[in-house]
Amino acid sequence: MIFDRAMSNDQPRPIGLAAVLDILPLAIAVIPWGILCGSLAIQAGLTPLESQLMSLLVFAGAAQLSALSIIGGGGGLPAILGSTAVVSSRHLLYSATFRYEALKLPLYKKMAFAFLLTDEMFAVAESKKRSLGYFSLDYALISGFTFYLIWNLSTLTGIIAGSSITNLDELGLEFAIAATFIAMVVPNIKSLATLIAVLVSSLTSVIFHSYEISNGLLFSGLIGMCTGYFIEQHSGKG
Amino acid sequence: MRYAFFIKNIPIKLNESIERFLRFTAPCILVSMAAPIVFGGVKWGVSDLTNPFLIAGMSTILISLMIKNTLFVVFLSMIIFSSVKYIFI
């Protein structure tokens, strides 16, 4: 392991190395999704260049997969834009969380930060902000870019493998994503309010999912957040 | 979408209570994405005690309570998921 020396050191790691190491597990877990995304793009009839550009320019796993299934099903642009807006609406909450930090940045840094802001980068950057006590733009950008790089390499793998991989979606790759998110959230549950918020979000998202309610993800997230906030307010200082 | 709240001209002032509210964003949104994968395919009944998503999902929760290394947790739970799938399906 090239990182052994840094990890065994008692000194705090350089922020860039910490950023790469923190995002790496999440980036590795997303590789199967990238491969799936690349091969689906080819199957949906996109050229290899178009497929790669989608990952390079859009850089949004869930939105890309839903857009591809619409393209594959012969759907039009309004359907693609609609589904992308719905799937991406959680990013509104992410950007609201980092609003104060971002307002201080020059335009190009703000845009780079916004472009690299994924579920995974948000999770590590927010947790780092709490442990450091301040927001580190370098940390956010480096972890975001590492994720971007691995996402695009795995899409490329999927494009090259193309339609030769037929039963990718039967391998349970979506479970890797669920496992990653569980492993990220569980160690960070440090208060009763968070625990209940998480339980409420899980329950409502399963209910919305079973009734196929569109935007269920955002609603269940918001319901959990409201619950957590309410409990925190009413349990003294929280 | 990601850029929306970085625009200065949006006349929204986020006060302290909104910040406290937003602190629940990460855990709530992440579990909202994970929960339907683990529990979405579960049809309550005896046969579902062999559902790999359910078994491996519950195992992941337990493992992540004990181990802090995300990559290792994901690795272990994928092994459990594949084994359960191999045994029962």
Side-chain angles (χ1 to χ4, degrees), chain A residues 59 85 92 94-96 99-100 102-103 107 110 114-115 117 130 170 175 179 201 217 220 225 229 232-233, chain B residues 1-3 5-7 10 12 14 17 19-20 23-25 28-29 32-33 35-36 56 64-65 77 85:
Chain A
F59 186 42
L92 288 173
Y94 297 163
S95 73
R99 176 173 159 87
Y100 276 134
L103 286 183
L107 181 68
K110 225 192 285 185
F115 180 73
L117 187 53
R130 275 190 217 182
E170 290 165 22
F175 182 75
S201 277
L217 165 68
S220 56
M225 290 164 70
Y229 178 72
E232 204 180 63
Q233 292 294 84
Chain B
M1 287 283 187
R2 305 175 205 191
Y3 193 73
F5 278 95
F6 295 173
I7 301 168
I10 289 185
I12 299 173
L14 301 176
S17 43
E19 284 211 334
R20 286 165 72 114
R23 248 177 262 162
F24 290 99
T25 310
C28 288
I29 296 282
S32 293
M33 287 192 268
S64 53
L65 284 172
S77 54
K85 216 173 153 182

Side-chain angles (χ1 to χ4, degrees), chain A residues 60-145:
Chain A
Q64 281 177 238
L65 288 173
S66 73
L68 284 172
S69 66
I70 294 169
I71 296 172
L77 191 62
I80 294 174
L81 291 178
S83 92
T84 306
V86 167
V87 173
S88 304
S89 49
R90 63 185 190 279
H91 289 103
L92 288 173
L93 293 170
Y94 297 163
S95 73
T97 305
F98 282 122
R99 176 173 159 87
Y100 276 134
E101 285 82 9
L103 286 183
K104 298 168 197 151
L105 303 172
L107 181 68
Y108 72 98
K109 284 188 179 170
K110 225 192 285 185
M111 289 178 75
F113 181 41
F115 180 73
L116 294 173
L117 187 53
T118 54
D119 296 311
E120 288 79 2
M121 191 265 252
F122 174 75
V124 297
E126 219 236 349
S127 136
K128 191 71 180 176
K129 183 181 142 190
R130 275 190 217 182
S131 67
L132 283 177
Y134 61 90
F135 169 73
S136 162
L137 180 70
D138 287 346
Y139 180 89
L141 292 183
I142 292 169
S143 58
F145 184 73

Side-chain angles (χ1 to χ4, degrees), chain A residues 6 54 75 86 108 135 182 192 195 228 230:
Chain A
M54 191 178 195
V86 167
Y108 72 98
F135 169 73
I182 293 171
L192 183 67
L195 177 66
F230 184 80

Side-chain angles (χ1 to χ4, degrees), chain B residues 4-58:
Chain B
F5 278 95
F6 295 173
I7 301 168
K8 275 201 185 94
N9 299 338
I10 289 185
I12 299 173
K13 187 133 169 57
L14 301 176
N15 60 26
E16 202 217 336
S17 43
I18 293 176
E19 284 211 334
R20 286 165 72 114
F21 172 71
L22 288 172
R23 248 177 262 162
F24 290 99
T25 310
C28 288
I29 296 282
L30 293 181
V31 295
S32 293
M33 287 192 268
I37 298 174
V38 175
F39 299 106
V42 176
K43 293 164 199 71
W44 300 108
V46 181
S47 66
D48 252 38
L49 292 175
T50 59
N51 182 318
F53 287 96
L54 183 63
I55 296 175
M58 299 307 273

